[in-house]
Amino acid sequence: MKLIIGNKAYSSWSLRGWLACRQSGIAFEEVVVPLYDEDWDKRREGAEFAPSSGKVPILWDGEAVVWDSLAIIDYLADKVGRDLFWPADDAARAMARSMAAEMHSSFVALRRKHSMNIRQIYPARMPDDDVIVDLKRIMELWAQARARFGGEGDFLFGEFGAVDIMFAPVVTRIITYQLPVARFAVPYMDAVLRHPFMQDWIAGAQEEEWVIERFEQPVG
């Protein structure tokens, strides 16, 4: 398999696809493509990017090609067994799927106003009202998952899985911009950041030399 991703410092969707590949346990080639450099437009026209119209991440598995992080999660779950990604319990799995889908389609204000930048921690400031609404909903989802299905595990449904993969970039955004969260969320975020896969990604981001100025500005 070959996974094409963007800069580890900035590309939240790439992080999700990469975590999914690591979670699968299948060996894969990692190709990092610097976003928005002088060759970006030309590179996106290449055959490897054609199926996704130039978007990353994009996973090639022989002749099979999968783009979009949530699709990559499901493709890999089909290959290696769904229990590596989704809870075995029907009720827990139903909630996990709904949370992953909501993360995929929602929280536009948070994503637009607080872009991912793993290498920075900015001074705290009160977020805009629409971002607060997003954060409140995220806290509600995390609280429900932990209370109903977290058990004694460190993650939303006990063991690290698809939902944690989908919310991992949210955790990094909260840290980067010091956004307000409920007290119960802090141990969960710590568990995500301490996960070996996340540690590897963060180390890779720190080693990158690329800088995209528009993503290096604090909010406000």
Side-chain angles (χ1 to χ4, degrees):
M1 295 196 309
K2 177 166 66 175
L3 181 72
I4 304 172
I5 58 176
N7 311 53
K8 290 185 175 179
Y10 308 117
S11 183
S12 58
W13 292 110
S14 293
L15 170 56
R16 294 180 175 101
W18 186 89
L19 288 174
C21 287
R22 290 294 302 271
Q23 180 73 355
S24 76
I26 302 174
F28 67 99
E29 176 188 358
E30 172 189 312
V31 179
V32 182
V33 177
L35 303 174
Y36 311 124
D37 67 355
E38 59 184 12
D39 297 322
W40 175 244
D41 289 334
K42 181 178 180 181
R43 189 185 299 114
R44 294 176 73 196
E45 297 172 356
E48 286 191 317
F49 286 92
S52 68
S53 295
K55 296 178 181 178
V56 291
I58 181 168
L59 177 67
W60 285 91
D61 182 16
E63 294 299 314
V65 58
V66 194
W67 61 98
D68 186 285
S69 297
L70 193 52
I72 290 172
I73 287 173
D74 273 335
Y75 177 79
L76 294 171
D78 286 342
K79 286 181 70 74
V80 301
R82 307 196 72 78
D83 287 352
L84 262 180
F85 289 90
W86 302 104
D89 177 79
D90 287 348
R93 189 168 62 256
M95 185 175 185
R97 288 186 179 281
S98 297
M99 287 177 61
E102 184 168 347
M103 176 65 255
H104 190 269
S105 63
S106 305
F107 312 118
V108 175
L110 174 64
R111 298 205 301 244
R112 185 179 67 249
K113 297 182 178 181
H114 300 274
S115 58
M116 191 174 89
N117 188 338
I118 282 179
R119 296 186 297 211
Q120 297 288 353
I121 297 181
Y122 295 117
R125 65 176 293 273
M126 184 58 63
D128 293 343
D129 289 345
D130 51 358
V131 175
I132 291 176
V133 171
D134 283 352
L135 290 169
K136 181 179 178 181
R137 176 57 179 164
I138 290 167
M139 293 302 103
E140 290 173 352
L141 291 171
W142 289 3
Q144 290 177 41
R146 290 291 303 151
R148 294 184 61 190
F149 303 112
E152 296 182 359
D154 293 329
F155 299 98
L156 293 177
F157 292 83
E159 299 297 323
F160 185 78
V163 180
D164 306 296
I165 289 170
M166 292 300 293
F167 278 101
V170 172
V171 171
T172 73
R173 284 175 163 97
I174 290 171
I175 299 299
T176 294
Y177 298 95
Q178 301 191 62
L179 300 174
V181 296
R183 184 178 301 175
F184 83 87
V186 174
Y188 168 64
M189 295 193 302
D190 288 343
V192 171
L193 292 176
R194 289 196 312 267
H195 193 284
F197 300 162
M198 282 295 292
Q199 287 292 301
D200 288 348
W201 179 274
I202 291 168
Q206 297 295 344
E207 293 172 359
E208 288 180 346
E209 297 180 355
W210 305 300
V211 175
I212 301 178
E213 290 298 337
R214 62 174 148 161
F215 296 146
E216 292 290 336
Q217 304 300 320
V219 177

Coordinates of all heavy atoms in Angstrom, one line a residue, residues 5 39 49 55 65 71 84 101 110 127 140 147 151 194 202 205:
I5 N 0.2 11.8 1.6 CA -0.4 12.7 2.6 C 0.3 14.1 2.4 O 1.3 14.3 1.7 CB -0.1 12.2 4.0 CG1 1.4 12.1 4.3 CG2 -0.8 11.0 4.3 CD1 1.8 11.7 5.7
D39 N 5.0 23.7 -6.8 CA 4.7 22.6 -7.7 C 3.3 22.0 -7.4 O 3.0 21.0 -8.0 CB 5.8 21.5 -7.6 CG 7.1 22.0 -8.1 OD1 7.1 22.8 -9.1 OD2 8.1 21.6 -7.5
F49 N -3.0 11.4 -8.3 CA -4.0 12.3 -7.6 C -5.3 12.3 -8.3 O -6.3 12.9 -7.8 CB -3.4 13.7 -7.5 CG -2.3 13.8 -6.4 CD1 -1.0 13.7 -6.8 CD2 -2.7 14.1 -5.1 CE1 0.0 13.8 -5.8 CE2 -1.7 14.2 -4.2 CZ -0.3 14.1 -4.5
K55 N -6.8 15.9 -3.9 CA -6.9 16.0 -2.4 C -6.1 14.9 -1.8 O -5.9 13.8 -2.3 CB -8.4 15.9 -2.0 CG -9.2 17.1 -2.5 CD -10.6 16.9 -2.1 CE -11.5 18.1 -2.6 NZ -12.9 17.9 -2.2
V65 N -7.9 2.2 -5.2 CA -7.6 3.5 -4.7 C -8.7 4.0 -3.8 O -9.9 3.9 -4.1 CB -7.3 4.5 -5.9 CG1 -8.5 4.6 -6.8 CG2 -6.9 5.9 -5.3
A71 N -13.4 7.0 4.4 CA -13.5 5.8 3.5 C -12.2 5.0 3.7 O -12.3 3.7 3.6 CB -13.5 6.4 2.1
L84 N -10.7 -3.9 15.0 CA -9.6 -3.0 15.2 C -10.0 -1.5 15.2 O -9.3 -0.7 15.7 CB -8.5 -3.3 14.1 CG -7.4 -4.2 14.5 CD1 -6.4 -4.3 13.3 CD2 -6.6 -3.7 15.7
A101 N -19.1 10.1 11.7 CA -19.8 10.8 10.6 C -20.0 12.2 10.9 O -19.8 13.1 10.1 CB -21.1 10.1 10.3
L110 N -14.8 25.6 13.9 CA -13.6 25.2 14.6 C -12.5 24.9 13.5 O -11.4 25.3 13.7 CB -13.8 23.9 15.4 CG -12.6 23.3 16.1 CD1 -12.0 24.2 17.1 CD2 -13.0 22.0 16.7
P127 N -12.6 32.0 22.2 CA -12.9 31.7 20.8 C -14.2 32.4 20.5 O -15.0 32.8 21.3 CB -13.1 30.2 20.8 CG -13.3 29.8 22.2 CD -12.6 30.8 23.1
E140 N -20.0 17.3 24.5 CA -21.2 16.4 24.7 C -21.0 15.0 24.2 O -21.3 14.0 24.8 CB -22.5 17.1 24.1 CG -22.9 18.3 24.8 CD -24.1 19.0 24.0 OE1 -24.3 18.6 22.8 OE2 -24.6 20.0 24.5
A147 N -19.0 8.0 29.2 CA -19.9 7.5 30.2 C -20.5 6.2 29.9 O -20.7 5.3 30.7 CB -21.0 8.6 30.5
G151 N -15.7 2.6 29.7 CA -15.3 1.6 30.6 C -14.0 2.1 31.4 O -13.9 3.3 31.8
R194 N -0.4 10.9 23.8 CA 0.6 9.9 24.2 C 0.6 8.7 23.4 O 1.5 7.9 23.5 CB 0.4 9.6 25.7 CG 0.7 10.6 26.7 CD 0.9 10.0 28.1 NE -0.2 9.1 28.4 CZ -1.3 9.5 29.1 NH1 -1.5 10.7 29.5 NH2 -2.2 8.6 29.4
I202 N 3.7 13.4 15.5 CA 4.2 14.7 16.0 C 5.7 14.9 15.8 O 6.2 15.9 15.4 CB 3.9 14.8 17.5 CG1 2.3 14.9 17.7 CG2 4.6 16.0 18.1 CD1 1.9 14.8 19.1
A205 N 6.2 15.8 12.2 CA 5.9 17.2 12.0 C 7.0 18.1 12.5 O 7.3 19.1 11.8 CB 4.6 17.5 12.7

